[in-house]
Amino acid sequence: MLVFSAFVPHSPLLIPEVGKENLGKLDSTIKAYQHLEAELYSAKPDILLIISSHANSRGGAFFTINQQPKLKVGFKDFGDLLTKLEFANEIGFGYKIKESCEDHFPIILIADENLDYGSGIPLFYLTQHLPNIKIVSIGYADLPLEKHLRFGEIVRKQINLSEKRIAVVASGDLSHKLHQDSPAGFSPRAQEFDEQLMSLLNKGDVEGLVNIDHNLVAEAGECGLRSLMILLGIIKEINYQPEKLSYEAPFGIGYLVENFKL
Ligand SMILES: [Zn+2]
């Protein structure tokens, strides 16, 4: 049973030990994350499916499911040696997803003990009062958006068959090219991409999102669209209410927190 769904950003600067004095610039995002944390807690989930842009470190045209029994979260790549979390992997459910998808898509099982930061940052914020929640870590593929939507539809069938209470969180950032001093450079169409995505999302226009202009997507330099597509594939037949909790881009990268109330 699906009990929660949301889309969240993954700036490493959201982690207090990494962001330090920059945390204040992410105030809206942090407040939105705290709001989601309370909602997730009251949904009493058994399992959290985390879909991350950076979970598939191998790249390539296949989806990934992580089957390492213990999953660790840390941010030492960003100079933080203190923050550490550990979760049990819900490997049985992950395996079911693999089995149900493999006739339709290229999908592989991986065994990475250390979760990527795109998974780690949402888990840091959202599991503060859910230390025993079980995780399923999904990585997306270098395949068209439409395939990601279809992938989500198949995952939904598995969620519906399960007696467990399941939450789904898609992690990704919007355009990385919003400011002149953005780390990835500036694109004059970056703002257009972020605005179009949020407008389609808030109208519930999934068709419009799947058919979003490819050139615009390439110009934007995003990492969240395919995570979002899987999430939308999971919820699109359900009566959900999109609720934009925050959007900001203090470092030239678009950070959106969106709750999809079920
Ligand atoms: Zn990213």
Side-chain angles (χ1 to χ4, degrees):
M1 184 202 322
L2 185 65
V3 295
F4 177 91
S5 56
F7 176 74
V8 294
H10 53 231
S11 168
L13 297 172
L14 287 163
I15 301 301
E17 285 294 323
V18 179
K20 297 194 163 94
E21 68 279 1
N22 285 305
L23 270 187
K25 295 181 186 153
L26 290 161
D27 201 38
S28 302
T29 303
I30 290 170
K31 285 205 172 79
Y33 252 123
Q34 288 165 344
H35 177 94
L36 275 186
E37 189 271 329
E39 293 240 337
L40 178 63
Y41 182 72
S42 57
K44 299 189 172 62
D46 303 306
I47 301 173
L48 174 55
L49 261 62
I50 177 93
I51 305 158
S52 163
S53 327
H54 309 295
N56 178 1
S57 56
R58 290 144 190 86
F62 44 79
F63 295 90
T64 61
I65 304 281
N66 195 340
Q67 289 279 278
Q68 184 73 30
K70 287 257 178 293
L71 300 169
K72 293 181 176 171
V73 168
F75 304 98
K76 66 176 185 331
D77 291 351
F78 304 100
D80 170 11
L81 303 175
L82 295 173
T83 311
K84 284 184 182 129
L85 301 169
E86 193 174 300
F87 299 93
N89 192 346
E90 177 56 59
I91 51 178
F93 193 73
Y95 194 77
K96 275 188 189 147
I97 293 177
K98 193 254 182 190
E99 271 192 320
S100 59
C101 288
E102 65 191 354
D103 290 342
H104 310 273
F105 308 103
I107 179 166
I108 60 164
L109 299 174
I110 59 172
D112 287 345
E113 186 177 45
N114 296 308
L115 283 175
D116 65 292
Y117 72 96
S119 303
I121 290 155
L123 291 176
F124 171 82
Y125 273 95
L126 298 176
T127 69
Q128 305 236 330
H129 298 96
L130 294 166
N132 298 318
I133 194 163
K134 294 198 161 181
I135 303 299
V136 176
S137 160
I138 300 174
Y140 66 49
D142 187 10
L143 287 169
L145 294 178
E146 206 270 329
K147 298 259 187 212
H148 289 77
L149 197 67
R150 283 276 300 125
F151 182 90
E153 288 168 13
I154 293 170
V155 173
R156 183 189 65 237
K157 285 187 191 143
Q158 288 304 317
I159 293 174
N160 291 349
L161 287 171
S162 173
E163 288 179 355
K164 298 278 171 63
R165 299 176 66 79
I166 299 176
V168 182
V169 172
S171 170
D173 297 332
L174 303 194
S175 176
H176 287 58
K177 300 186 177 182
L178 290 159
H179 295 175
Q180 295 292 350
D181 53 358
S182 290
F186 174 72
S187 165
R189 299 194 72 193
Q191 196 71 48
E192 181 189 344
F193 170 80
D194 280 16
E195 278 164 18
Q196 199 175 112
L197 181 141
M198 288 186 282
S199 153
L200 291 166
L201 206 52
N202 287 307
K203 283 189 283 192
D205 187 352
V206 176
E207 207 58 26
L209 279 164
V210 174
N211 294 312
I212 196 166
D213 177 6
H214 291 266
N215 295 325
L216 180 62
V217 175
E219 271 285 313
E222 52 73 43
C223 72
L225 193 49
R226 281 169 286 170
S227 295
L228 182 62
M229 278 299 146
I230 297 176
L231 172 70
L232 290 173
I234 293 172
I235 62 174
K236 81 187 207 340
E237 300 298 329
I238 303 169
N239 200 3
Y240 70 86
Q241 189 62 45
E243 182 189 20
K244 182 171 151 188
L245 295 176
S246 69
Y247 172 77
E248 61 186 345
F251 312 110
I253 301 170
Y255 300 134
L256 170 68
V257 179
E258 182 102 9
N259 188 14
F260 298 90
K261 296 193 108 162
L262 304 171

